[in-house]
Amino acid sequence: MALTAGSPEPQSRSLPPAWTAGDTVGNMQEVLEALETYKKKDPAKVVVRFKAVGNAPIMKQNFYKITASNRFQAVIQFLRKELGWKAGDPLFTYINLAFSPAPDDTVSNLFKSFATDGHLIVNYSTTAAWG
Amino acid sequence: MSYTPRHAPSAFTTPASTTLFRRLTWEGTVPIEVRVDPKELPANSDRGLECYYLQAPRVSYLPLLVPEIKRFLTDVVFDDAAARAMKEEDWWFESDDGALLKWHWPVGLIYDYHTITSSIRPSAPPQQTAPLRLTLHLASPPTDKLLLSPSADACKQAFMGQMKEADFLRWGNTKRMTGLRKAEQDGLWEGIKEHNFDEYWRVAAKVTPTTSPNRSYSPPPPSATSMHTRPPSADPGSSGQPDKDGAYNVRSVPVRMYLPDGPVLQDLVPPMLEDGTMHTLAHFLHTHLPLIFPPPNTASGRELAYPLVQGVLVPGEAEMAWLGACMAGADGWVNVCVGIQRDAPRF
């Protein structure tokens, strides 16, 4: 199974010769089904641990199980609700006291890359801390 | 994909070739057609001219293209009253398949993602160099879906966040990024705004790993296998080694995989495998997307998918570490877009 599609020119994005034979339609169906498999949302939950920074109010409960397929934006919204924040109240969120993730990244992706001892640590602050 | 495991990096790791590939990546541009939604075109607009074409740098962002588009619309299309009433903070873009375009995605990624998403549509036109057709809406932005405000400043903050996330993945901390002076951090963004390779890389070279050759490549330390559970404070004690800043010594290469119509997947990508060989793109795809890139020696193995990085079809032997040093976007991330070869081959 050799991949020969190594040409840098986009114009030559043609199939390697190995693909010319056989039932390509059937294979296409397989690929589309495979894509659907990867699109399925991960129902697993992961532990998110909220930690206040600076003057931010401390939460009574700071461990939550959150569905991994949620986007980080959902975590921000959940946190705002728990804190009783109104729209426009400033809130800055960070992972591991280090960076703000993109709001459309998933909790699952962040957990896989940045979890510490089985927790995804989300720091929150009312002022920009590591912006 | 077949490949021979290699224990040493490829020949494309000399300083000259690293600079060459960084420049090729940086200079990449994509064709874009911007058309104002005809339903929203103000009265008295010149309807024959509502289309604008531009060749945008891959490393740029939509908010940075807005001033140029606005200039065209006010100078050529709108009358004075409409030009005065125009509020660009209400603007938003949609692609021809109805997808909302994110303000914080690099233009090159938007283009490649559109290419691979089109690759699974039955009606996908076979053309390869067509412009990305965007509809510009002038009002009622769906802010809950766009997530960020369209301002260049919000985009800069998001960019800095991505730089730091990439830094953290590589080294387990963000010391390299936070160690930059304010003027240097601003210089990164200015370099993108001005599409100035030297200005950007003057600073980026301090945070991006190098691919210097002539080093000894011993297998990674045993601790590398427990990367998932290691707390971020436990930075690998690589200090004292001459190549501690090298691309092959990072904890993980910042990589995201994009599939047609989503999802976006991210995981740790060590530059070396446990057996001491280089982590190649072929290995990476076989491991993370085995249904689409079946591992070699499996009966079903017929690949219909292709990996695009910066619009380039990348061979399976490419090393993840090399991609991270030479073909990452300006935000430090290697975006691997997976397309599907739908049509009969063109020979």
Side-chain angles (χ1 to χ4, degrees):
Chain A
M1 200 44 239
L3 180 86
T4 51
S7 166
E9 297 90 22
Q11 286 79 7
S12 61
R13 215 173 273 167
S14 51
L15 290 166
W19 292 344
T20 55
D23 178 11
T24 21
V25 177
N27 280 304
M28 185 67 201
Q29 203 52 42
E30 278 174 37
V31 172
L32 291 178
E33 280 163 22
L35 285 175
E36 284 307 311
T37 309
Y38 290 123
K39 217 180 278 186
K40 275 195 196 112
K41 294 204 160 137
D42 182 1
K45 294 195 170 198
V46 299
V47 178
V48 173
R49 185 174 173 190
F50 292 108
K51 283 188 175 178
V53 175
N55 295 329
I58 292 165
M59 297 164 84
K60 283 199 197 85
Q61 187 196 338
N62 57 9
F63 286 83
Y64 289 91
K65 279 195 170 175
I66 292 186
T67 308
S69 59
N70 270 318
R71 295 194 298 185
F72 191 70
Q73 178 71 7
V75 176
I76 298 173
Q77 278 160 352
F78 173 82
L79 183 60
R80 295 187 74 92
K81 196 163 138 262
E82 287 295 310
L83 293 172
W85 250 224
K86 289 193 269 303
D89 290 346
L91 184 70
F92 298 85
T93 44
Y94 303 91
I95 301 291
N96 291 342
L97 296 174
F99 64 91
S100 293
D104 55 340
D105 209 350
T106 62
V107 173
S108 167
N109 280 345
L110 293 168
F111 188 85
K112 270 189 265 178
S113 293
F114 304 111
T116 310
D117 299 331
H119 305 147
L120 181 64
I121 297 174
V122 176
N123 314 100
Y124 59 97
S125 168
T126 55
T127 53
W130 300 273
Chain B
M1 288 185 191
S2 68
Y3 59 97
T4 316
R6 253 206 317 268
H7 293 259
S10 76
F12 296 113
T13 52
T14 63
S17 95
T18 298
T19 304
L20 171 66
F21 278 99
R22 284 177 175 177
R23 187 176 277 282
L24 287 170
T25 298
W26 180 268
E27 299 297 343
T29 59
V30 294
I32 296 180
E33 173 193 293
V34 180
R35 184 184 298 267
V36 181
D37 184 349
K39 296 188 290 295
E40 298 173 30
L41 210 55
N44 303 322
S45 295
D46 193 330
R47 285 195 175 254
L49 297 167
E50 83 276 25
C51 241
Y52 185 64
Y53 295 89
L54 68 161
Q55 195 74 24
R58 284 184 159 268
V59 294
S60 192
Y61 294 87
L62 287 175
L64 300 180
L65 306 182
V66 162
E68 180 183 341
I69 298 165
K70 185 186 175 189
R71 202 155 44 240
F72 168 78
L73 291 176
T74 47
D75 289 355
V76 177
V77 182
F78 296 168
D79 70 1
D80 289 347
R84 272 197 303 277
M86 185 168 55
K87 286 192 290 190
E88 71 216 66
E89 58 270 24
D90 287 343
W91 285 15
W92 52 289
F93 291 94
E94 202 177 14
S95 64
D96 54 5
D97 57 1
L100 295 182
L101 298 191
K102 305 244 176 71
W103 294 116
H104 61 292
W105 279 26
V107 167
L109 173 60
I110 290 175
Y111 190 91
D112 290 346
Y113 183 71
H114 184 264
T115 301
I116 60 162
T117 297
S118 306
S119 75
I120 58 163
R121 303 250 188 274
S123 58
Q127 54 209 350
Q128 301 284 5
T129 50
L132 175 63
R133 296 198 165 81
L134 305 185
T135 302
L136 168 61
H137 297 279
L138 303 175
S140 314
T143 39
D144 55 325
K145 297 204 179 75
L146 293 166
L147 299 169
L148 289 180
S149 82
S151 73
D153 198 51
C155 192
K156 179 184 173 184
Q157 293 310 318
F159 164 78
M160 287 299 170
Q162 290 303 298
M163 285 292 274
K164 284 177 191 165
E165 184 172 343
D167 206 25
F168 194 97
L169 270 174
R170 290 191 202 102
W171 313 109
N173 60 59
T174 51
K175 280 181 202 147
R176 282 168 179 76
M177 275 302 290
T178 52
L180 296 177
R181 285 177 285 119
K182 169 90 169 63
E184 288 178 312
Q185 291 205 5
D186 291 345
L188 289 170
W189 184 246
E190 283 304 309
I192 293 170
K193 261 169 86 172
E194 306 297 327
H195 200 207
N196 184 324
F197 177 86
D198 293 326
E199 185 170 9
Y200 171 84
W201 274 105
R202 192 177 303 133
V203 184
K206 298 184 181 184
V207 296
T208 315
T210 54
T211 57
S212 46
N214 306 323
R215 297 193 303 250
S216 65
Y217 288 92
S218 51
S223 62
T225 55
S226 60
M227 211 174 258
H228 290 265
T229 53
R230 207 138 35 99
S233 55
D235 195 36
S238 56
S239 57
Q241 292 176 24
D243 53 351
K244 67 181 167 61
D245 288 334
Y248 299 90
N249 260 356
V250 299
R251 293 171 61 165
S252 173
V253 184
V255 179
R256 290 198 178 103
M257 278 170 284
Y258 297 78
L259 297 181
D261 248 345
V264 182
L265 303 169
Q266 178 183 330
D267 204 345
L268 294 175
V269 184
M272 314 278 287
L273 299 174
E274 280 174 39
D275 62 2
T277 57
M278 297 287 164
H279 193 170
T280 59
L281 180 63
H283 181 94
F284 173 76
L285 293 171
H286 293 322
T287 307
H288 288 89
L289 302 169
L291 298 176
I292 304 177
F293 294 96
N297 312 322
T298 54
S300 68
R302 179 100 75 84
E303 286 164 7
L304 286 176
Y306 56 87
L308 282 184
V309 179
Q310 301 284 4
V312 177
L313 268 174
V314 179
E317 310 91 279
E319 297 152 7
M320 300 310 288
W322 184 89
L323 289 171
C326 298
M327 288 189 69
D331 58 3
W333 286 82
V334 177
N335 295 316
V336 180
C337 290
V338 175
I340 306 301
Q341 196 81 58
R342 157 152 229 131
D343 305 320
R346 294 167 293 117
F347 285 110

Short mmCIF file of all heavy atoms in Angstrom, two decimals, chain B residues 20-48:
data_model
loop_
_atom_site.label_atom_id
_atom_site.label_comp_id
_atom_site.label_asym_id
_atom_site.label_seq_id
_atom_site.Cartn_x
_atom_site.Cartn_y
_atom_site.Cartn_z
N LEU B 20 13.91 28.18 3.79
CA LEU B 20 13.21 28.12 2.51
C LEU B 20 11.77 27.67 2.69
O LEU B 20 10.84 28.31 2.19
CB LEU B 20 13.95 27.17 1.56
CG LEU B 20 13.19 26.85 0.26
CD1 LEU B 20 13.06 28.09 -0.61
CD2 LEU B 20 13.89 25.73 -0.51
N PHE B 21 11.57 26.58 3.44
CA PHE B 21 10.20 26.07 3.61
C PHE B 21 9.35 27.02 4.44
O PHE B 21 8.15 27.16 4.20
CB PHE B 21 10.22 24.66 4.20
CG PHE B 21 10.49 23.61 3.17
CD1 PHE B 21 11.76 23.08 3.01
CD2 PHE B 21 9.46 23.17 2.35
CE1 PHE B 21 12.01 22.12 2.03
CE2 PHE B 21 9.70 22.20 1.37
CZ PHE B 21 10.98 21.68 1.22
N ARG B 22 9.98 27.69 5.42
CA ARG B 22 9.22 28.68 6.19
C ARG B 22 8.77 29.82 5.28
O ARG B 22 7.66 30.33 5.41
CB ARG B 22 10.07 29.21 7.35
CG ARG B 22 10.19 28.22 8.48
CD ARG B 22 11.08 28.73 9.59
NE ARG B 22 11.07 27.78 10.70
CZ ARG B 22 11.80 27.93 11.79
NH1 ARG B 22 12.62 28.96 11.93
NH2 ARG B 22 11.73 27.03 12.77
N ARG B 23 9.65 30.21 4.37
CA ARG B 23 9.29 31.31 3.48
C ARG B 23 8.21 30.88 2.49
O ARG B 23 7.26 31.61 2.24
CB ARG B 23 10.52 31.83 2.73
CG ARG B 23 10.23 33.08 1.91
CD ARG B 23 11.45 33.65 1.24
NE ARG B 23 12.25 34.51 2.09
CZ ARG B 23 11.96 35.78 2.38
NH1 ARG B 23 10.85 36.33 1.93
NH2 ARG B 23 12.76 36.50 3.14
N LEU B 24 8.35 29.65 1.96
CA LEU B 24 7.32 29.16 1.04
C LEU B 24 5.96 29.11 1.73
O LEU B 24 4.94 29.49 1.16
CB LEU B 24 7.70 27.75 0.54
CG LEU B 24 8.85 27.68 -0.46
CD1 LEU B 24 9.27 26.23 -0.68
CD2 LEU B 24 8.46 28.33 -1.79
N THR B 25 5.97 28.65 2.97
CA THR B 25 4.73 28.60 3.74
C THR B 25 4.17 30.00 3.95
O THR B 25 2.98 30.26 3.77
CB THR B 25 4.99 27.93 5.10
OG1 THR B 25 5.43 26.59 4.88
CG2 THR B 25 3.73 27.90 5.96
N TRP B 26 5.06 30.90 4.32
CA TRP B 26 4.66 32.28 4.62
C TRP B 26 4.10 32.99 3.40
O TRP B 26 3.13 33.74 3.47
CB TRP B 26 5.86 33.04 5.18
CG TRP B 26 5.56 34.45 5.53
CD1 TRP B 26 5.70 35.55 4.72
CD2 TRP B 26 5.02 34.93 6.76
NE1 TRP B 26 5.31 36.67 5.39
CE2 TRP B 26 4.88 36.32 6.64
CE3 TRP B 26 4.65 34.30 7.97
CZ2 TRP B 26 4.39 37.12 7.68
CZ3 TRP B 26 4.16 35.10 8.99
CH2 TRP B 26 4.03 36.48 8.83
N GLU B 27 4.73 32.76 2.23
CA GLU B 27 4.35 33.50 1.03
C GLU B 27 3.09 32.92 0.37
O GLU B 27 2.59 33.48 -0.60
CB GLU B 27 5.49 33.52 0.01
CG GLU B 27 6.79 34.19 0.50
CD GLU B 27 6.62 35.66 0.83
OE1 GLU B 27 5.62 36.27 0.38
OE2 GLU B 27 7.48 36.20 1.55
N GLY B 28 2.60 31.80 0.85
CA GLY B 28 1.42 31.20 0.25
C GLY B 28 0.22 32.13 0.32
O GLY B 28 -0.02 32.77 1.34
N THR B 29 -0.53 32.19 -0.78
CA THR B 29 -1.74 33.02 -0.81
C THR B 29 -2.89 32.21 -1.39
O THR B 29 -2.68 31.19 -2.04
CB THR B 29 -1.55 34.28 -1.68
OG1 THR B 29 -1.22 33.88 -3.01
CG2 THR B 29 -0.45 35.18 -1.13
N VAL B 30 -4.10 32.66 -1.13
CA VAL B 30 -5.28 31.99 -1.70
C VAL B 30 -6.18 33.02 -2.37
O VAL B 30 -6.28 34.16 -1.92
CB VAL B 30 -6.08 31.23 -0.62
CG1 VAL B 30 -5.26 30.07 -0.07
CG2 VAL B 30 -6.52 32.15 0.50
N PRO B 31 -6.83 32.62 -3.50
CA PRO B 31 -7.74 33.54 -4.19
C PRO B 31 -9.11 33.58 -3.50
O PRO B 31 -9.65 32.53 -3.14
CB PRO B 31 -7.86 32.94 -5.59
CG PRO B 31 -7.58 31.49 -5.42
CD PRO B 31 -6.69 31.34 -4.21
N ILE B 32 -9.62 34.77 -3.32
CA ILE B 32 -10.91 34.95 -2.65
C ILE B 32 -11.79 35.89 -3.46
O ILE B 32 -11.31 36.90 -3.98
CB ILE B 32 -10.71 35.53 -1.22
CG1 ILE B 32 -9.94 34.52 -0.35
CG2 ILE B 32 -12.05 35.85 -0.57
CD1 ILE B 32 -9.69 34.99 1.05
N GLU B 33 -13.05 35.50 -3.56
CA GLU B 33 -14.05 36.37 -4.19
C GLU B 33 -15.03 36.79 -3.11
O GLU B 33 -15.57 35.94 -2.40
CB GLU B 33 -14.78 35.59 -5.30
CG GLU B 33 -15.95 36.32 -5.91
CD GLU B 33 -16.82 35.40 -6.76
OE1 GLU B 33 -16.35 34.90 -7.80
OE2 GLU B 33 -17.97 35.15 -6.35
N VAL B 34 -15.22 38.09 -2.95
CA VAL B 34 -16.16 38.58 -1.94
C VAL B 34 -17.34 39.23 -2.66
O VAL B 34 -17.16 40.12 -3.48
CB VAL B 34 -15.50 39.63 -1.01
CG1 VAL B 34 -16.51 40.12 0.02
CG2 VAL B 34 -14.28 39.04 -0.32
N ARG B 35 -18.55 38.75 -2.35
CA ARG B 35 -19.74 39.29 -2.97
C ARG B 35 -20.69 39.72 -1.86
O ARG B 35 -21.01 38.93 -0.98
CB ARG B 35 -20.40 38.21 -3.83
CG ARG B 35 -21.61 38.64 -4.63
CD ARG B 35 -22.21 37.44 -5.36
NE ARG B 35 -21.27 36.86 -6.32
CZ ARG B 35 -21.22 37.21 -7.61
NH1 ARG B 35 -22.06 38.11 -8.07
NH2 ARG B 35 -20.36 36.68 -8.42
N VAL B 36 -21.10 40.97 -1.90
CA VAL B 36 -22.07 41.43 -0.91
C VAL B 36 -23.39 40.72 -1.17
O VAL B 36 -23.81 40.59 -2.34
CB VAL B 36 -22.26 42.95 -0.99
CG1 VAL B 36 -23.26 43.43 0.06
CG2 VAL B 36 -20.93 43.67 -0.81
N ASP B 37 -24.01 40.23 -0.09
CA ASP B 37 -25.32 39.59 -0.23
C ASP B 37 -26.25 40.54 -0.99
O ASP B 37 -26.50 41.66 -0.55
CB ASP B 37 -25.89 39.30 1.16
CG ASP B 37 -27.22 38.55 1.09
OD1 ASP B 37 -27.80 38.45 -0.02
OD2 ASP B 37 -27.68 38.09 2.14
N PRO B 38 -26.73 40.12 -2.19
CA PRO B 38 -27.52 41.04 -3.03
C PRO B 38 -28.74 41.60 -2.29
O PRO B 38 -29.17 42.72 -2.54
CB PRO B 38 -27.96 40.18 -4.22
CG PRO B 38 -27.24 38.90 -4.12
CD PRO B 38 -26.57 38.79 -2.79
N LYS B 39 -29.27 40.82 -1.36
CA LYS B 39 -30.46 41.28 -0.62
C LYS B 39 -30.12 42.41 0.34
O LYS B 39 -30.99 43.13 0.79
CB LYS B 39 -31.08 40.11 0.16
CG LYS B 39 -31.62 38.99 -0.73
CD LYS B 39 -32.39 37.95 0.04
CE LYS B 39 -31.52 37.09 0.94
NZ LYS B 39 -30.57 36.24 0.20
N GLU B 40 -28.84 42.52 0.69
CA GLU B 40 -28.45 43.53 1.68
C GLU B 40 -27.75 44.73 1.05
O GLU B 40 -27.35 45.65 1.76
CB GLU B 40 -27.52 42.89 2.72
CG GLU B 40 -28.18 41.78 3.51
CD GLU B 40 -27.20 41.06 4.43
OE1 GLU B 40 -26.24 41.70 4.90
OE2 GLU B 40 -27.39 39.86 4.65
N LEU B 41 -27.58 44.68 -0.25
CA LEU B 41 -26.88 45.78 -0.92
C LEU B 41 -27.71 47.06 -0.78
O LEU B 41 -28.88 47.08 -1.11
CB LEU B 41 -26.70 45.41 -2.39
CG LEU B 41 -25.49 45.96 -3.14
CD1 LEU B 41 -24.19 45.62 -2.43
CD2 LEU B 41 -25.48 45.43 -4.55
N PRO B 42 -27.12 48.14 -0.25
CA PRO B 42 -27.89 49.37 -0.04
C PRO B 42 -28.42 49.92 -1.36
O PRO B 42 -27.89 49.63 -2.44
CB PRO B 42 -26.87 50.33 0.57
CG PRO B 42 -25.72 49.50 1.01
CD PRO B 42 -25.72 48.28 0.16
N ALA B 43 -29.47 50.74 -1.24
CA ALA B 43 -30.01 51.40 -2.43
C ALA B 43 -28.91 52.23 -3.09
O ALA B 43 -27.99 52.70 -2.43
CB ALA B 43 -31.18 52.29 -2.02
N ASN B 44 -29.04 52.42 -4.39
CA ASN B 44 -28.11 53.23 -5.17
C ASN B 44 -26.70 52.64 -5.28
O ASN B 44 -25.76 53.33 -5.64
CB ASN B 44 -27.99 54.65 -4.61
CG ASN B 44 -29.34 55.34 -4.54
OD1 ASN B 44 -30.17 55.16 -5.44
ND2 ASN B 44 -29.57 56.08 -3.48
N SER B 45 -26.54 51.36 -4.91
CA SER B 45 -25.22 50.75 -5.09
C SER B 45 -25.01 50.43 -6.56
O SER B 45 -25.97 50.23 -7.31
CB SER B 45 -25.12 49.45 -4.29
OG SER B 45 -25.19 49.72 -2.92
N ASP B 46 -23.75 50.39 -6.96
CA ASP B 46 -23.43 50.03 -8.33
C ASP B 46 -23.43 48.51 -8.42
O ASP B 46 -22.47 47.84 -8.04
CB ASP B 46 -22.06 50.60 -8.72
CG ASP B 46 -21.85 50.51 -10.21
OD1 ASP B 46 -22.41 49.58 -10.84
OD2 ASP B 46 -21.14 51.37 -10.75
N ARG B 47 -24.52 47.94 -8.91
CA ARG B 47 -24.70 46.49 -8.86
C ARG B 47 -23.78 45.73 -9.80
O ARG B 47 -23.57 44.54 -9.62
CB ARG B 47 -26.16 46.14 -9.14
CG ARG B 47 -27.02 46.46 -7.95
CD ARG B 47 -28.40 45.83 -7.98
NE ARG B 47 -29.07 46.10 -6.73
CZ ARG B 47 -29.26 45.20 -5.79
NH1 ARG B 47 -28.85 43.97 -5.95
NH2 ARG B 47 -29.86 45.54 -4.65
N GLY B 48 -23.27 46.40 -10.79
CA GLY B 48 -22.37 45.68 -11.69
C GLY B 48 -21.03 45.37 -11.05
O GLY B 48 -20.26 44.57 -11.56
#
